[in-house]
Amino acid sequence: MKILVINAGSSSLKYQFMESEGGEVFAKGLCERIGIDGRLTHKVPGREDVVREIPMPTHNEAIQSVLDILVDPEKGVIASTDEIAAVGHRVLHGGAAFTESCIIDDACIEAIKKCIPLGPLHNPANLMGIEACQKIMPSTPQVAVFDTAFHMTMPPKAYIYAIPYEYYEKDDVRRYGFHGTSHRYVSARAIDMLGNPAHSRVISCHLGNGSSLAAIVDGKVMDTSMGLGPLAGFPMGTRSGDVDATILEYLMGRYNYDIKEMLNILNKKSGVLGISGVSSDFRDLDAAAAQGNERAQLALDKFIYEVKKFIGAYTTVMGGVDAIVFTAGIGENSIDLRRQICDGLEYMGIKMDAEKNNVRGKEADVSAADSKVKIFVIPTNEELMIAMDTAALCGK
């Protein structure tokens, strides 16, 4: 089934047009500067990229520009939009209402709107993408795939916060977790690579500019590092990860910050950028550290240290681990970072083969022959997961 996958942001919109069986990508691209002026970048395998300046005052024009380029006689890949069987939308926050993907109807849209306070930056943009597609493609089925849904199998002891229980009951304050579609895809591949055992314990390490870990037992999430929002966990590109809440009170009092400015600092000025003062890009940090920049090295050391702590904690709560998976931009491509994370974990049966680990961006078993725990590099494919869910629901 040919599926159009949409990931709408506040001023951008990513898309992939693909086959749900096998994952062949016919075309993909990006609409950016929505609401400013508008630019479309369109890519078809084996062809030269197309870049067009197109007025995009709203997401409606962005979606229309995507459909227009897909059917363009010279640059397109289909003769008619009728060939688009369905549209799958990435939606950040589904709250407790969504434990799986669903066909979009009025009730679904209302439930997504109710989750806006939980995902104030992303859910409104996701809704704009959905509503634009509904307006322009009213007869085409639409499916919502939630970033939080895969984590909804967590037990209460993992998702509850130790604050007054009434905030959970009345305000839905709990751990939700994110990158769920990625964790779901790579953990399923890991279980397959393990030979589909009756019992499996996988730690999925989604390491990118935004990063999270998940502890997955028999294909179901037991715990994950992000929380109510995507700020929690370990240091990321610009996000702080877990911090003592007293820091907020202290800095807000000392510098007269309001909560909005404090959260802006934690979300956009912290993480490895905040420690290093150099960059949020780990490649820049590697280069700076190699030239003797001590703060860049400290940022890398802190990141590695915190990831190791989560691996140790998750191994404990799962009663062991059968596989560790590295995925996303850093996890798939940073040979040295993977090695440093696994260094010192030999006592847990985690032993990497340095030669096998010399791989970037492709699926590989990089564990040593005598490692008791498998170490996999698995490129994530969230778009394929969205396309497969969309096809499965629309096929019904």
Side-chain angles (χ1 to χ4, degrees):
M1 187 178 287
K2 292 180 179 178
I3 305 295
L4 177 60
V5 176
I6 297 292
N7 182 355
S10 58
S11 62
S12 66
L13 185 148
K14 297 178 183 178
Y15 65 92
Q16 283 199 20
F17 182 52
M18 64 194 304
E19 174 58 55
S20 60
E21 293 184 19
E24 180 184 358
V25 177
F26 305 114
K28 64 181 179 179
L30 170 67
C31 296
E32 51 191 330
R33 298 178 63 82
I34 299 171
I36 303 172
D37 42 28
R39 179 185 298 119
L40 169 70
T41 301
H42 179 71
K43 301 181 178 184
V44 175
R47 299 188 199 168
E48 187 176 344
D49 293 354
V50 178
V51 179
R52 291 179 177 175
E53 306 297 326
I54 302 172
M56 297 178 191
T58 71
H59 284 68
N60 290 335
E61 290 79 14
I63 291 293
Q64 188 62 60
S65 70
V66 172
L67 298 179
D68 289 345
I69 195 72
L70 289 175
V71 299
D72 186 280
E74 294 183 0
K75 308 298 183 181
V77 292
I78 51 177
S80 165
T81 55
D82 291 341
E83 295 183 45
I84 301 173
V87 182
H89 296 265
R90 175 184 178 265
V91 179
L92 178 86
H93 218 305
F98 295 100
T99 60
E100 58 187 8
S101 305
C102 70
I103 291 179
I104 296 171
D105 55 16
D106 291 343
C108 173
I109 288 177
E110 286 306 308
I112 294 172
K113 287 180 179 177
K114 287 181 180 179
C115 292
I116 287 175
L118 297 172
L121 299 178
H122 297 84
N123 274 37
N126 301 152
L127 279 167
M128 285 190 282
I130 290 169
E131 290 167 353
C133 284
Q134 286 182 322
K135 181 177 180 179
I136 297 168
M137 311 168 69
S139 61
T140 305
Q142 317 271 331
V143 169
V145 180
F146 299 91
D147 221 23
T148 51
F150 184 54
H151 299 299
M152 295 308 292
T153 56
M154 280 188 289
K157 62 185 178 183
Y159 69 66
I160 202 72
Y161 286 115
I163 59 176
Y165 196 74
E166 63 190 84
Y167 297 121
Y168 167 65
E169 291 183 301
K170 297 178 180 179
D171 304 300
D172 299 318
V173 175
R174 52 159 286 174
R175 182 180 304 279
Y176 289 99
F178 299 89
H179 299 131
T181 310
S182 174
H183 287 300
R184 180 179 159 208
Y185 176 80
V186 300
S187 63
R189 280 295 303 134
I191 292 169
D192 186 50
M193 292 167 75
L194 286 170
N196 293 299
H199 179 54
S200 62
R201 298 159 300 182
V202 175
I203 296 176
S204 172
C205 306
H206 180 106
L207 307 180
N209 193 261
S211 298
S212 66
L213 264 66
I216 301 164
V217 178
D218 300 335
K220 295 183 178 180
V221 176
M222 175 177 277
D223 205 345
T224 190
S225 59
M226 285 181 168
L228 177 74
L231 180 59
F234 48 94
M236 306 170 219
T238 62
R239 296 180 188 140
S240 65
D242 294 339
V243 296
D244 179 354
T246 310
I247 295 172
L248 279 69
E249 179 188 36
Y250 175 72
L251 293 179
M252 289 169 72
R254 189 171 179 85
Y255 296 104
N256 199 31
Y257 295 146
D258 60 16
I259 189 63
K260 184 176 181 180
E261 177 57 25
M262 190 70 248
L263 287 176
N264 183 60
I265 291 168
L266 294 177
N267 275 295
K268 297 182 179 180
K269 299 179 181 180
S270 300
V272 295
L273 170 64
I275 295 173
S276 70
V278 172
S279 176
S280 61
D281 191 309
F282 280 70
R283 293 167 295 188
D284 296 338
L285 296 180
D286 285 336
Q291 294 174 1
N293 187 309
E294 294 182 359
R295 281 176 55 187
Q297 186 61 59
L298 177 60
L300 292 168
D301 290 346
K302 176 66 173 176
F303 180 85
I304 293 162
Y305 176 77
E306 294 293 339
V307 172
K308 282 187 176 185
K309 282 173 63 176
F310 272 96
I311 289 174
Y314 286 170
T315 299
T316 298
V317 298
M318 293 193 301
V321 60
D322 300 303
I324 293 174
V325 181
F326 290 101
T327 193
I330 298 167
E332 295 169 25
N333 294 291
S334 181
I335 294 168
D336 198 48
L337 188 137
R338 291 194 301 259
R339 177 189 60 77
Q340 291 183 73
I341 289 172
C342 291
D343 278 351
L345 301 182
E346 291 81 6
Y347 76 98
M348 295 169 59
I350 299 168
K351 190 174 180 181
M352 178 177 280
D353 184 307
E355 186 174 341
K356 290 180 181 178
N357 185 48
N358 190 27
V359 62
R360 287 188 174 91
K362 65 179 183 179
E363 199 170 274
D365 177 347
V366 300
S367 45
D370 59 344
S371 179
K372 295 179 180 179
V373 177
K374 288 292 186 181
I375 308 168
F376 298 133
V377 177
I378 302 177
T380 192
N381 197 335
E382 296 170 85
E383 290 80 12
L384 176 59
M385 202 86 264
I386 293 170
M388 290 172 64
D389 276 10
T390 301
L393 285 167
C394 293
K396 294 178 183 178

